[in-house]
Amino acid sequence: MSLRKILSKNQITYKLYLLYRVYFKDKNFQKKNYYGQWKEDLDIVEFFDRKNIKNGNYLDIGCFDPFKYSNTCLLYQNGWTGINIDLNQTSIDIFNLIRKKDINICSCISDKKKKVEIYFDSPFSSINSSNKKFFENFVKNDPFKNAFKNYTKIYAETKTIDEILEKDK
């Protein structure tokens, strides 16, 4: 049974738990110089600063977390807004709590509508994926043998970018 189902009996408890995870367990209560996994968000901000673009909109596909490994957090902190898309409902629930100005969508993206298999590691995992080769490679090469140890397969209908952007209008 998923964490969301267990705690959704009481939405306040669920939201408090998500806030606890984000701010205390993951220590996101402090402002940081960068949030991207390899500091790529600094390059993104610098690119727009050089072009003298001070605010705008972003589309973050596979957004995962509003802070951890985020390529859009610095933009959001600088007044930008956007659309965040992830296949994990828990991630989207966290985005809805933290990034209230953004549009946050739980979906898989593809070039056409189809049913896909999702390899779901856990509600707080950055490696949940609909890519079978990624899943198999990660399991094969995981040095700690922790990833996807108790994974589940779930199925979802994909959406196209055009479909997402049309709904946003």
Side-chain angles (χ1 to χ4, degrees):
M1 183 179 301
S2 75
L3 172 69
R4 186 165 197 240
K5 286 181 183 175
I6 293 168
L7 295 174
S8 66
K9 294 175 186 172
N10 184 336
Q11 284 297 314
I12 293 171
T13 306
Y14 177 64
K15 288 179 182 180
L16 286 173
Y17 180 72
L18 293 180
L19 289 170
Y20 158 77
R21 284 284 306 213
V22 168
Y23 287 111
F24 295 103
K25 186 168 187 311
D26 295 338
K27 297 179 176 67
N28 289 314
F29 52 87
Q30 301 171 6
K31 190 170 182 175
K32 299 177 185 175
N33 293 329
Y34 67 91
Y35 298 89
Q37 190 169 8
W38 295 288
K39 300 183 185 180
E40 59 269 43
D41 53 335
L42 294 175
D43 293 331
I44 294 168
V45 169
E46 182 184 324
F47 172 82
F48 288 114
D49 282 349
R50 279 196 319 264
K51 301 277 186 188
N52 203 28
I53 300 171
K54 298 299 177 199
N55 59 28
N57 303 104
Y58 48 81
L59 175 62
D60 192 349
I61 300 171
C63 57
F64 171 58
D65 187 278
F67 300 104
K68 188 176 185 180
Y69 308 142
S70 176
N71 294 326
T72 57
C73 187
L74 288 177
L75 293 172
Y76 185 81
Q77 289 175 348
N78 289 326
W80 289 57
T81 58
I83 300 173
N84 303 298
I85 303 170
D86 200 275
L87 58 77
N88 181 354
Q89 184 61 55
T90 303
S91 290
I92 296 305
D93 292 342
I94 293 170
F95 269 87
N96 285 332
L97 285 170
I98 306 300
R99 298 222 195 146
K100 295 183 184 287
K101 296 177 192 169
D102 283 354
I103 297 166
N104 306 301
I105 301 167
C106 183
S107 183
C108 288
I109 302 297
S110 181
D111 59 339
K112 58 185 171 248
K113 289 184 72 89
K114 62 183 175 181
K115 192 172 191 174
V116 294
E117 191 172 57
I118 298 169
Y119 303 91
F120 196 80
D121 186 41
S122 81
F124 298 101
S125 175
S126 61
I127 58 173
N128 297 324
S129 180
S130 63
N131 185 313
K132 186 174 183 175
K133 285 182 184 177
F134 171 83
F135 162 73
E136 290 170 345
N137 217 15
F138 206 99
V139 170
K140 179 180 168 187
N141 297 310
D142 178 12
F144 303 108
K145 305 298 180 208
N146 290 348
F148 293 110
K149 195 161 114 179
N150 297 311
Y151 78 95
T152 57
K153 285 185 186 178
I154 56 177
Y155 298 88
E157 287 287 327
T158 63
K159 293 180 182 173
T160 66
I161 292 296
D162 290 341
E163 185 180 0
I164 297 283
L165 296 176
E166 191 63 36
K167 282 184 180 178
D168 184 40
K169 288 184 180 178

